[in-house]
Amino acid sequence: MGFNLAILISGRGSNMLNIVEACNNKTLSSKVKIVISNNKNSSVLTKVEKKGIKTKIILENQINKFEKKLSQTLHEEKINFVCLAGFMRILSKGFLCNWEKKIINIHPSILPAFKGLNAVKKALEKKVKYTGCTIHYVDKGVDTGEIIDQRIVKVLKTDNEEKLAKKILKEEHILYIKVIKTLEKEKENDKIRQ
Ligand code: GRF
């Protein structure tokens, strides 16, 4: 069965495209019903539209107005799970309480280390030997929600921010699909138990 997914992005959208691909080729049993961006310059939206996916841009500076439109869209599309993938806005407590354990986010570090912006740069500055990526449930904090799964990347002496970010992104793509697959299975098992 899988989920009726919405994916929220603000930029490049490589994780989003990867999830769309995994749904389209049936690696996942979920369906991406809509991709929502808060950035009017998301050229990746045109790309995903060509794959038959509905898209929407929501531009609202005030978070309550943004969330009102977001809620409406999620409701209209009968969304039951939301993936944040490079989505650069903080959602409010009021909004999130209706979506507990239904919104996940990917972050390019081994949380709880290096929360927030510039996680790859911060890891290099601290000269860590290993970093990676994390998928976590979204709560009202920044990258503070319950951790679901992580993947590790070794930091080499020759790595700069660009090289390291690229290696992490490769792991992000693997991790996002793995986590959605696991959650799909959990949903199926919950249904059987009911
Ligand atoms: C990724 O590094 C993700 O971890 C972070 O933002 C970046 C988004 O990349 N939250 P993309 O838009 O999926 O290519």
Side-chain angles (χ1 to χ4, degrees), residues 90-106:
I90 314 282
L91 297 164
S92 75
K93 197 176 160 187
F95 175 86
L96 290 170
C97 70
N98 295 317
W99 289 92
E100 209 186 330
K101 292 227 169 162
K102 299 275 183 257
I103 307 185
I104 60 176
N105 179 44
I106 188 148

Side-chain angles (χ1 to χ4, degrees), residues 7-18 44 84-88 105-109 116 119-120 132-134 136 143 165 168-169 172-173 176:
I7 308 176
L8 269 60
I9 65 167
S10 298
R12 180 178 55 187
S14 73
N15 277 287
M16 176 277 286
L17 285 174
N18 189 53
V44 73
L84 307 188
F87 177 68
M88 302 301 284
N105 179 44
I106 188 148
H107 183 75
S109 77
V120 179
C133 51
T134 303
H136 61 92
D143 305 320
I168 295 172
L169 191 65
E172 289 186 28
H173 291 172
Y176 227 138

Side-chain angles (χ1 to χ4, degrees), residues 7-101:
I7 308 176
L8 269 60
I9 65 167
S10 298
R12 180 178 55 187
S14 73
N15 277 287
M16 176 277 286
L17 285 174
N18 189 53
I19 298 168
V20 166
E21 185 57 29
C23 292
N24 284 353
N25 70 22
K26 306 283 180 226
T27 301
L28 295 173
S29 47
S30 296
K31 182 173 168 40
V32 178
K33 301 265 303 185
I34 193 159
V35 173
I36 300 168
S37 175
N38 67 333
N39 174 359
K40 64 176 179 332
N41 299 318
S42 279
S43 60
V44 73
L45 292 183
T46 322
K47 208 167 171 181
V48 76
E49 278 164 14
K50 285 189 186 141
K51 294 177 187 288
I53 307 291
K54 196 187 249 190
T55 67
K56 186 169 183 137
I57 296 173
I58 303 180
L59 299 174
E60 284 292 351
N61 285 333
Q62 278 182 36
I63 193 68
N64 58 332
K65 285 190 182 166
F66 177 83
E67 288 174 341
K68 200 173 168 199
K69 287 192 177 169
L70 178 60
S71 292
Q72 262 171 12
T73 307
L74 299 179
H75 183 72
E76 279 163 18
E77 297 296 328
K78 300 192 168 42
I79 300 302
N80 56 10
F81 206 81
V82 179
C83 296
L84 307 188
F87 177 68
M88 302 301 284
R89 279 199 92 158
I90 314 282
L91 297 164
S92 75
K93 197 176 160 187
F95 175 86
L96 290 170
C97 70
N98 295 317
W99 289 92
E100 209 186 330
K101 292 227 169 162

